[in-house]
Amino acid sequence: MTSMELAQASNAAVYASMVTLTLAMIFFAASFAAGRRRPVATAPALASADGPGSVAVLTREPQPADAREPGRRAANIGMSLTWLSFLTLLVGVVLRGVWAGRAPWGNMYEFSITAALGILGVFLFLSLRRDLRWLGLFVVIPALLTLGMAVTVLYTEAAQLVPALKSYWLVIHVSAAIICSGAFTLAAATAGLSLARGRAERRQGTSDVTGWTSRLPASDRLQGLTNRVVAFAFPLWTFAVVAGAIWAENAWGRYWGWDPKETWAFITWVVYAAYLHARSTAGWRGNRASWIALAGWVAFLINYFGVNIFVTSLHSYAGT
């Protein structure tokens, strides 16, 4: 394939991923709007007896899973479309790298589409271990918004990297950061949902709530999931910061200079460290810890989107 054909194929794959992701969002929304789980529907009881004088036994025919849980079929379709979108976007990212002849994150467009891939990848990986259909809508939306911003605002043609970016430490650093982007986004979604669910539980005075939050797990389960995701991502983020410092030493002869990118990376690290500390402190568990997790995600967004787009510094794409 020629360079032009590779570019067109990559762009087509990214747009196809956006289309399937939009359909996934619609099906997840339909599943979520199906209402709270209703009691299990069962067929009428049938009396059976083996012979004269025997005792009749009532039996009920089990109903299919879709009858037991409203919206389950729509959620299954949403998950299938999310897998399709992930694979299509992966093709687009790989073709972009082949076209550029390097790792596909040399500018903000490339980083954004790869970050969206990371969001979907972390969600789908965790969905292999537990049922996360209820979370699909709140993961698909940020991934779709990231892709939308990439193709409408950040798109640029592939170009050769400036000397400062020609380092395998950049590949290591950004690879870790992409995985963290997916994990932190997932943790922010569960933290925000735990606040909404917890508010409903307090207002109704019971864990068996009504309304849209009835589709969610209990608030303590959501908080536990947030904690596990952050506990996985925090060491990886620590490694990403260290790898970035080594890259800076190779590129500019110093490990740390407190430029805006480095500063916000450190702020993000501090906030998530505070979250993990809060989870281990009885007085700061629950809603307080969830708010800290959301603050960490905001710091991460400022670091990787605000600084990279609007602030010129040695580490940001705006400075290249």
Side-chain angles (χ1 to χ4, degrees):
M1 297 179 68
T2 65
S3 296
M4 181 62 67
E5 290 173 338
L6 284 172
Q8 293 174 346
S10 174
N11 294 342
V14 172
Y15 280 109
S17 176
M18 293 180 65
V19 171
T20 55
L21 209 56
T22 301
L23 293 174
M25 179 182 65
I26 293 172
F27 278 100
F28 279 131
S31 172
F32 210 82
R36 64 166 299 158
R37 294 180 178 88
R38 294 190 289 268
V40 175
T42 56
L46 301 177
S48 63
D50 295 331
S54 61
V55 178
V57 178
L58 292 177
T59 60
R60 295 181 183 274
E61 294 294 331
Q63 295 299 299
D66 288 345
R68 292 197 303 267
E69 184 176 343
R72 186 181 183 91
R73 181 171 298 174
N76 288 340
I77 296 174
M79 287 298 297
S80 299
L81 288 169
T82 304
W83 275 105
L84 178 59
S85 180
F86 171 78
L87 294 175
T88 308
L89 183 58
L90 178 61
V91 170
V93 170
V94 171
L95 289 176
R96 177 78 180 197
V98 173
W99 173 30
R102 51 170 172 75
W105 42 73
N107 51 58
M108 272 305 295
Y109 168 76
E110 295 171 358
F111 175 79
S112 296
I113 62 174
T114 313
L117 184 70
I119 294 171
L120 298 177
V122 171
F123 169 66
L124 293 172
F125 175 76
L126 292 179
S127 72
L128 296 175
R129 302 176 59 88
R130 61 178 65 219
D131 184 2
L132 293 179
R133 283 182 291 253
W134 53 269
L135 187 57
L137 179 63
F138 305 97
V139 171
V140 164
I141 288 176
L144 188 57
L145 289 175
T146 302
L147 288 175
M149 182 178 67
V151 300
T152 58
V153 178
L154 302 175
Y155 182 80
T156 57
E157 298 291 335
Q160 292 300 311
L161 297 177
V162 297
L165 296 180
K166 294 179 180 179
S167 170
Y168 62 87
W169 279 107
L170 171 66
V171 178
I172 296 172
H173 164 67
V174 178
S175 297
I178 287 168
I179 298 173
C180 288
S181 71
F184 289 152
T185 300
L186 190 68
T190 54
L193 292 174
S194 73
L195 292 172
R197 171 77 187 206
R199 181 181 180 184
E201 291 174 355
R202 291 190 303 272
R203 185 174 64 249
Q204 299 180 31
T206 177
S207 60
D208 187 19
V209 300
T210 59
W212 72 271
T213 56
S214 65
R215 302 289 292 174
L216 305 173
S219 59
D220 57 343
R221 287 185 56 197
L222 288 167
Q223 292 161 7
L225 180 57
T226 303
N227 182 59
R228 285 190 289 273
V229 173
V230 174
F232 157 76
F234 181 74
L236 192 60
W237 181 248
T238 303
F239 172 77
V241 173
V242 173
I246 297 174
W247 163 39
E249 197 279 332
N250 287 339
W252 300 292
R254 53 106 176 122
Y255 289 99
W256 199 266
W258 293 105
D259 75 357
K261 194 76 163 54
E262 295 168 337
T263 301
W264 276 103
F266 179 68
I267 290 173
T268 303
W269 185 90
V270 168
V271 175
Y272 279 114
Y275 167 81
L276 293 175
H277 176 71
R279 284 287 301 179
S280 64
T281 304
W284 279 85
R285 292 181 181 177
N287 289 345
R288 292 180 177 181
S290 295
W291 281 114
I292 297 175
L294 288 173
W297 185 58
V298 171
F300 178 83
L301 291 180
I302 293 174
N303 177 43
Y304 266 98
F305 289 97
V307 174
N308 277 335
I309 296 173
F310 300 109
V311 179
T312 300
S313 64
L314 290 177
H315 288 267
S316 72
Y317 290 111
T320 60

